Amino acid sequence: MSAARSVLERLLRRAESARLRGADEHVSLPMGSTREYTDLRSLAELERFHAEVALAERDGAVSVQREARSGDGSRLLRLGVADLPALARHLDVPLLDDRVTEAASRLAAWVERFPVIADVLDAWRSGRKLRSCGPEAARDLSDAAIAVAARADDAGHERILRRESVRLFGDSKRLEKLTTWLELLVTGELAASGLSKEEVWSAIGLRREPQPLLISGCGRVVLTDASAPLVRPYLGLPVESVQSVAVTADYVLSIENLASFHDAALSPDAAAGLLLYTGGMPSPAWRTAYARILESLPSTCPVYHWGDIDEGGFRIAAVLAGAARGAGRVLQPWLMSPTDLEASLLRIADVPSTPVLAAMCHWASRAGWEPLAQTLMQQPIRLEQERLDPVMPTPESSTR
């Protein structure tokens, strides 16, 4: 990039910023303190700089103040923006308004289905970047919408990430590159969610590799074309085939993380319950199987969830609570409140920042756990599930 173009582009950016603030967009730069100009050493460099500025001036893009006493009057004192659109045309750089208009046109078909896209466009229109990107990311956001819509229309099945990427885009890695926009559409929020990329993919039914539903209990499970006895410590089943269970269980406990599920399934006390591994963020197909399992159990059987005490953990709990409500059940927290933990664990727990704590309490409330949210406000902690040893619910647990 030439020195003159660098200065002209800087003028363009400043003028656009001024326009967004409602200020005078006819901004200017003093050339005596502009390094691109003052660092020029050779006559050829000066002549090239002056020639490029003269062309922009001829196009009506910039105003130029020259020093009259410099002999030929060529020495530049100040460059200003005479006409912002003219400067953008001269540089062949689309203005923000034009870029947002183009982005809005590309995304128009998706705004009704994904209302957060309207918020994205408003943010871009105001000059904000999201996920470090501006309107130039509209194609990526549009492709993300194609993927999320395709998975929502096929919510009863899980798909392999790279195969689905090839099917939709002819590129096995395209979906992975779109993860940040998939997250935005899945959550409906402009701010980052705290979900891992695997949890984002799972939320729309994508997995790196096939993920069985891991279940631990005593009884039988009814599949699409057969039934099978449950075994301990656990059994892995195709999630789409699970129809119902016939078990004797004092409780149902879903568990967010794999290591904690394995530890819990090996506990002698686990034989009294039905344990389910969510695979992090449960996919739509997993939630469908979960609802079928809950519907096949007695209404008196309490339903618990044990996950990380952090933003992602409570977000997952809120998703599970919604699935439980759809099955006519109430999800209760297990080992996710400061009051559930020993003093030694409280001492090693992290203290979340104010924004993270607010998000944790928000999602705890969305799960229907308002008392837990209030406890977190009074005693803020953040703790991974794996720091806890498994403890199984008892008949007295539901009365706590």
Side-chain angles (χ1 to χ4, degrees), residues 285-306:
W286 194 100
R287 300 196 300 266
T288 297
Y290 178 63
R292 289 172 178 161
I293 288 171
L294 295 185
E295 288 168 351
S296 65
L297 293 170
S299 60
T300 54
C301 183
V303 181
Y304 299 98
H305 175 66
W306 178 27

Side-chain angles (χ1 to χ4, degrees), residues 110-140:
W110 297 111
V111 172
E112 184 175 356
R113 184 159 188 172
F114 303 105
V116 71
I117 291 178
D119 298 330
V120 171
L121 292 170
D122 286 343
W124 284 343
R125 204 169 281 116
S126 69
R128 288 175 56 199
K129 288 192 172 184
L130 298 171
R131 274 53 171 186
S132 302
C133 297
E136 68 279 359
R139 177 174 174 267
D140 287 347

Side-chain angles (χ1 to χ4, degrees), residues 243-262:
Q243 301 299 309
S244 64
V245 293
V247 299
T248 301
D250 293 339
Y251 59 87
V252 176
L253 177 65
S254 55
I255 301 176
E256 177 183 339
N257 295 300
L258 184 58
S260 296
F261 173 82
H262 278 293

Side-chain angles (χ1 to χ4, degrees), residues 174-187:
R174 178 63 175 156
L175 277 172
E176 292 169 68
K177 295 175 182 176
L178 298 176
T179 299
T180 187
W181 299 112
L182 296 174
E183 175 197 24
L184 181 143
L185 296 176
V186 165
T187 64

Side-chain angles (χ1 to χ4, degrees), residues 163-323:
R163 286 185 179 175
E164 183 71 352
S165 191
V166 169
R167 186 182 77 83
L168 292 175
F169 304 112
D171 178 348
S172 65
K173 298 182 180 178
R174 178 63 175 156
L175 277 172
E176 292 169 68
K177 295 175 182 176
L178 298 176
T179 299
T180 187
W181 299 112
L182 296 174
E183 175 197 24
L184 181 143
L185 296 176
V186 165
T187 64
E189 302 169 5
L190 298 183
S193 66
L195 295 175
S196 69
K197 60 186 179 181
E198 288 80 8
E199 288 170 333
V200 172
W201 300 333
S202 178
I204 58 173
L206 295 172
R207 304 281 191 183
R208 278 197 183 276
E209 58 276 321
Q211 174 68 61
L213 187 155
L214 302 185
I215 182 170
S216 175
C218 299
R220 298 188 69 82
V221 58
V222 178
L223 307 175
T224 303
D225 298 317
S227 68
L230 294 175
V231 298
R232 297 193 66 243
Y234 60 84
L235 183 68
L237 299 165
V239 65
E240 296 162 15
S241 69
V242 175
Q243 301 299 309
S244 64
V245 293
V247 299
T248 301
D250 293 339
Y251 59 87
V252 176
L253 177 65
S254 55
I255 301 176
E256 177 183 339
N257 295 300
L258 184 58
S260 296
F261 173 82
H262 278 293
D263 289 345
L266 291 170
S267 168
D269 297 333
L274 185 67
L275 275 54
L276 303 168
Y277 170 53
T278 72
M281 174 62 76
S283 70
W286 194 100
R287 300 196 300 266
T288 297
Y290 178 63
R292 289 172 178 161
I293 288 171
L294 295 185
E295 288 168 351
S296 65
L297 293 170
S299 60
T300 54
C301 183
V303 181
Y304 299 98
H305 175 66
W306 178 27
D308 290 331
I309 304 175
D310 61 15
E311 179 181 353
F314 286 114
R315 185 187 290 270
I316 289 170
V319 170
L320 279 171

Side-chain angles (χ1 to χ4, degrees), residues 311 352-365 377:
E311 179 181 353
S353 66
T354 299
V356 169
L357 177 61
M360 291 170 63
C361 293
H362 167 77
W363 290 109
S365 296
M377 290 296 293

